[in-house]
Amino acid sequence: MKKTGKRLAAMILVSALAAALAGCGGKSSGEGSGTEKAEANKDGVTLSFAFNVEDTPEKYGVMVEPILEEFKALHPEVKGFEYVNCSKRTEEQVVTMMKSGKFEDVMTAPMAVSIKEYPNYFASLGNAEELNEKYFYGDYMSYEGQTYAMPIGVVYEGILYNQKVLDKYYGGKVPKTLYELKECCGILRDNGVIPFYTNAGAKWTMRFWDNLAVTWSEDTNYANSIVETKAPWADGTPLNEVLSFVGELAKNGEIEPDTVTEQWDKSKVAIASEEACFMLTGSWAIPQMKDTAEELGGSRDDIGFAPFPYKNDVGPDNKLNVRVSEDIFVVVNKNSPNVELATEFAKFFCERISLNRGMNEIMRDGGKVVDDLKNFETMDYINLYSVPTKDIRISEMASNAQIDVFSQGSYITKYVLEPCLAGGEPNFDGLNAEWAKNFN
């Protein structure tokens, strides 16, 4: 998000020592350091690769390793991969690694860095226009005509839910309107079920509420419009309306009690075990939730996914928008000694990892859709949409205001959840005051 290297440094909250010690999981190959660059030796090339899949046979062995083996078969010069599970890395740690120059050949892209900074650290993956013709969101992470990061999949954003909870307390009906959703949440609360699990402690989960504001607005370019708006959270704006809904959930006791601790795994158990019902997220989470339900003795069919009902009177003539969104991105270290090979691998990986992660494939021609989303094709009351490339000024202005809007969305905890859980109201005036500094 930062405008300069100096501003980046100012935003880092961890010390240099912490960054040096901040490993992000063991490597599967057992060879060398997972944070070193790829190296060529007499036995061939070893590429280092950081991704957010646990390095276990059940996860890495199923999702990642087959892709690596397929790539090695096509490239005999590649003798191995140094794989690192980076699911526990913080944004601050990633930025510190980038500034030190010590990071993998290929890794997941940082969210807390402005796209203007990407050319300083990452290799171009190709012409943005050409890549966008081939891939969904192929130009989303581009700067001056070059793409610097590729998405690993395409997802729908909506509500993940437990059908058995709805069967018990809401007549088996999945809320289709905002009125029904609010009604359902009240009934669930009164029966001791947590209506919504925000997992706010993880921070990155809150970005879905910002994204919902774009859906709510029914203007695909809504996010970019805030660069010309002095008060994006004013009464009546989509950001205000969405976060007012979040605030109501908090005030009504309709979210989990702990919004500070990172508890992604606990949130999955809560929904799969009928302790909670809803979560706003991406469709990539469906297989994870189904796996958890099965592990707890339930059925995979207990878990469903639906459009977020952000308005009333929904029907074929008044459709709900459903965002077809990018997921996390992959980047290539520009200083890798094998940058061309690493670039080819990054694209190869992104084309193949999607389905195993519960996402649609990124290829515009011939890309496959996961089975769990095929029911959306029969819904006559939804409209699928995607968003244009994000204006780079959003990140710059967000950095100035110290508000990570349309990025991680962690500001929602400070300005909405915390005051509402304390019995107050969302601090929209504070948000608008900070944002207005961009126009002084």
Side-chain angles (χ1 to χ4, degrees):
M1 290 182 194
K2 318 301 182 265
K3 293 177 72 174
T4 65
K6 185 177 294 185
R7 179 166 288 149
L8 271 171
M11 289 291 291
I12 297 174
L13 302 178
V14 294
S15 66
L17 177 60
L21 296 175
C24 64
K27 43 192 180 302
S28 296
S29 68
E31 302 175 4
S33 169
T35 59
E36 294 176 352
K37 300 174 183 177
E39 58 183 17
N41 52 44
K42 63 181 181 179
D43 295 323
V45 172
T46 299
L47 292 175
S48 55
F49 176 45
F51 193 60
N52 66 346
V53 168
E54 296 174 9
D55 48 350
T56 62
E58 296 80 12
K59 301 294 185 179
Y60 169 85
V62 172
M63 294 184 182
V64 177
E65 191 170 29
I67 300 174
L68 307 189
E69 293 301 317
E70 184 181 356
F71 189 77
K72 284 167 59 179
L74 295 173
H75 294 273
E77 70 273 26
V78 177
K79 299 303 179 182
F81 285 86
E82 291 180 349
Y83 177 75
V84 177
N85 165 26
C86 63
S87 59
K88 299 301 181 182
R89 271 186 189 161
T90 66
E91 287 288 304
E92 291 84 0
Q93 290 168 349
V94 173
V95 170
T96 300
M97 292 173 65
M98 288 166 50
K99 290 173 69 65
S100 72
K102 296 180 179 180
F103 60 97
E104 294 79 15
D105 297 293
V106 180
M107 72 173 188
T108 54
M111 297 175 64
V113 180
S114 169
I115 189 63
K116 289 175 64 175
E117 295 286 337
Y118 271 48
N120 296 329
Y121 305 100
F122 308 125
S124 167
L125 303 181
N127 178 274
E129 185 176 347
E130 293 177 359
L131 288 175
N132 195 49
E133 291 177 356
K134 184 175 182 180
Y135 303 113
F136 288 106
Y137 289 96
D139 66 345
Y140 192 71
M141 296 292 282
S142 64
Y143 182 66
E144 295 185 341
Q146 296 294 306
T147 290
Y148 289 91
M150 290 285 292
I152 65 166
V154 179
V155 300
Y156 295 171
E157 294 187 4
I159 49 173
L160 199 64
Y161 63 89
N162 187 311
Q163 183 62 53
K164 289 180 70 175
V165 173
L166 296 178
D167 289 343
K168 287 182 181 180
Y169 302 112
Y170 203 59
K173 183 170 59 175
V174 179
K176 187 177 174 181
T177 68
L178 186 59
Y179 171 80
E180 290 177 351
L181 182 61
K182 291 181 177 181
E183 178 186 57
C184 182
C185 287
I187 293 172
L188 295 178
R189 177 201 63 217
D190 292 344
N191 282 277
V193 177
I194 299 171
F196 263 92
Y197 217 104
T198 68
N199 202 1
K203 297 182 179 180
W204 58 266
T205 53
M206 302 310 289
R207 69 188 176 94
F208 293 107
W209 294 104
D210 270 351
N211 288 353
L212 180 60
V214 180
T215 302
W216 197 295
S217 74
E218 301 191 338
D219 174 6
T220 60
N221 200 46
Y222 172 69
N224 288 336
S225 72
I226 70 167
V227 301
E228 307 292 346
T229 306
K230 291 185 178 181
W233 292 272
D235 288 348
T237 63
L239 277 169
N240 179 289
E241 292 178 350
V242 167
L243 298 188
S244 291
F245 173 79
V246 176
E248 286 180 19
L249 292 176
K251 287 187 291 184
N252 294 339
E254 294 172 355
I255 62 174
E256 76 274 18
D258 181 3
T259 59
V260 176
T261 309
E262 191 285 323
Q263 46 187 341
W264 173 247
D265 289 336
K266 184 177 179 180
S267 70
K268 291 189 293 184
V269 171
I271 291 179
S273 65
E274 303 175 44
E275 176 186 344
C277 187
F278 298 119
M279 180 189 295
L280 176 63
T281 189
S283 55
W284 53 265
I286 299 173
Q288 292 189 39
M289 198 67 69
K290 286 179 177 286
D291 287 347
T292 303
E294 198 169 45
E295 290 166 5
L296 294 176
S299 168
R300 301 181 71 84
D301 292 336
D302 295 344
I303 304 302
F305 191 81
F308 190 99
Y310 59 88
K311 61 182 178 180
N312 296 315
D313 301 318
V314 174
D317 296 325
N318 187 32
K319 296 182 178 183
L320 290 172
N321 273 358
V322 176
R323 179 173 174 138
V324 181
S325 181
E326 77 291 349
D327 196 69
I328 63 174
F329 287 76
V330 166
V331 292
V332 173
N333 187 338
K334 67 177 292 184
N335 294 316
S336 166
N338 300 289
V339 66
E340 291 185 8
L341 191 61
T343 298
E344 184 176 347
F345 168 70
K347 295 177 183 177
F348 185 89
F349 182 82
C350 289
E351 289 179 355
R352 289 161 173 76
I353 189 64
S354 310
L355 296 179
N356 278 339
R357 296 296 299 272
M359 307 175 202
N360 297 341
E361 292 182 333
I362 63 174
M363 293 80 76
R364 290 188 182 275
D365 293 331
K368 297 178 181 178
V369 176
V370 294
D371 290 340
D372 289 322
L373 295 177
K374 289 183 177 178
N375 65 313
F376 275 60
E377 298 175 359
T378 65
M379 296 179 182
D380 63 357
Y381 61 92
I382 67 169
N383 175 57
L384 302 177
Y385 80 96
S386 58
V387 298
T389 302
K390 187 168 73 171
D391 192 318
I392 62 173
R393 291 177 293 173
I394 295 177
S395 295
E396 295 170 357
M397 295 171 74
S399 177
N400 288 337
Q402 302 291 288
I403 299 170
D404 54 353
V405 61
F406 295 122
S407 176
Q408 278 196 298
S410 62
Y411 77 93
I412 298 172
T413 299
K414 176 181 178 180
Y415 288 93
V416 180
L417 291 182
E418 289 179 3
C420 288
L421 288 171
E425 298 293 331
N427 186 10
F428 293 129
D429 288 341
L431 282 169
N432 287 325
E434 292 301 315
W435 190 261
K437 293 178 180 178
N438 286 300
F439 297 89
N440 293 339

